[in-house]
């Protein structure tokens, strides 16, 4: 079992729809959770950081964390073609210490 | 303000050689982390430095090392290069302030080992 699992996709959604990206993690002691967006050929950029159970909203992005079920999700409302990218989930602070573990990423394609 | 800078941007080395990569963080950021990204393994954490001290280390062999200077600039070194070390090496600088956290990646150094 991978430590951080994501569906590799591609996830295809029409413009204006809600894109839902999911991530599960194996280390129950994990404390910090991150979502990154990476465009092809570019560096990752941090779009969401969450550490408490529940929802965190930032603009069109909402991160949802459920520690009991060990999953963190990212919702993108009103998806735009410019949201087409790979989204990486990362987890930090588990039994292995504060070394960040990344998922393999989910490719999102937003159709105009 | 200036972003995270990395030098060099591209590098070609031969097996057995060593290489040093440099990262300059955003002004005011005292934490610098290094990552390796490959198509096969994805993005992997190498180590993190804060105030010149290595705070965390990933699961890489001892050939991978780093350091941070008093101005927060950081270097990573890979000795005895192997073909499998060919990758994009990314550094990121970050700052925590209360409950908020900001992190920015540099453009990366593309290392090719032949």
């Amino acid at each position: 079992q991978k430590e951080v699992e994501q569906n590799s996709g591609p996830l295809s959604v029409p413009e204006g729809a809600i894109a839902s990206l999911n991530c599960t993690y194996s280390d129950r002691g994990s404390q910090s959770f991150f979502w990154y967006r990476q465009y092809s050929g570019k560096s990752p950029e941090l779009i969401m950081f969450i550490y408490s159970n529940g929802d965190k909203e930032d603009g069109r992005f909402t991160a949802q964390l459920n520690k009991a079920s060990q999953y963190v999700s990212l919702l993108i409302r009103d998806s735009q073609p410019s949201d087409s990218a790979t989204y990486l989930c990362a987890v930090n602070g588990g039994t292995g210490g504060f070394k960040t573990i990344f998922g393999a990423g989910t490719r999102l394609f937003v159709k105009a | 303000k200036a972003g995270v800078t990395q030098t060099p941007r591209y590098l070609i080395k031969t097996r057995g050689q060593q290489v040093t990569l440099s990262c300059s963080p955003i002004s005011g950021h005292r934490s610098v982390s290094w990552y390796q990204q490959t198509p096969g393994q994805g993005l992997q954490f190498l180590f993190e430095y804060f105030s010149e001290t290595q705070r965390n280390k990933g699961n890489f062999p001892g050939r991978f090392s780093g350091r941070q200077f008093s101005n927060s600039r950081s270097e990573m070194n890979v000795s005895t290069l192997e073909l499998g070390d060919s990758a994009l090496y990314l550094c990121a600088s970050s700052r925590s302030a209360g409950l908020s956290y900001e992190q920015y990646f540099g453009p990366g150094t593309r290392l090719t080992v032949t």
Side-chain angles (χ1 to χ4, degrees), chain A residues 36 38 43-44 51 98-99, chain B residues 37 45 56 59 99 103 105-106:
Chain A
Y36 296 88
Q38 187 172 26
S43 299
Y51 58 90
F98 287 88
K99 50 186 179 184
Chain B
Q37 188 168 35
F45 171 76
N56 295 292
N59 299 325
L99 301 179
Q103 181 189 48
F105 280 80

Side-chain angles (χ1 to χ4, degrees), chain A residues 37-87:
Chain A
R37 177 175 63 195
Q38 187 172 26
Y39 293 111
S40 181
K42 300 294 185 182
S43 299
E45 54 181 313
L46 178 66
I47 54 173
M48 290 295 281
F49 163 65
I50 187 169
Y51 58 90
S52 298
N53 269 331
D55 295 359
K56 179 180 179 181
E57 186 175 317
D58 184 359
R60 295 186 296 111
F61 299 101
T62 298
Q64 299 175 316
L65 175 60
N66 185 320
K67 290 186 177 181
S69 300
Q70 295 175 240
Y71 82 78
V72 55
S73 61
L74 179 71
L75 301 178
I76 307 175
R77 289 181 301 281
D78 188 25
S79 295
Q80 301 297 309
S82 59
D83 294 325
S84 298
T86 296
Y87 289 80

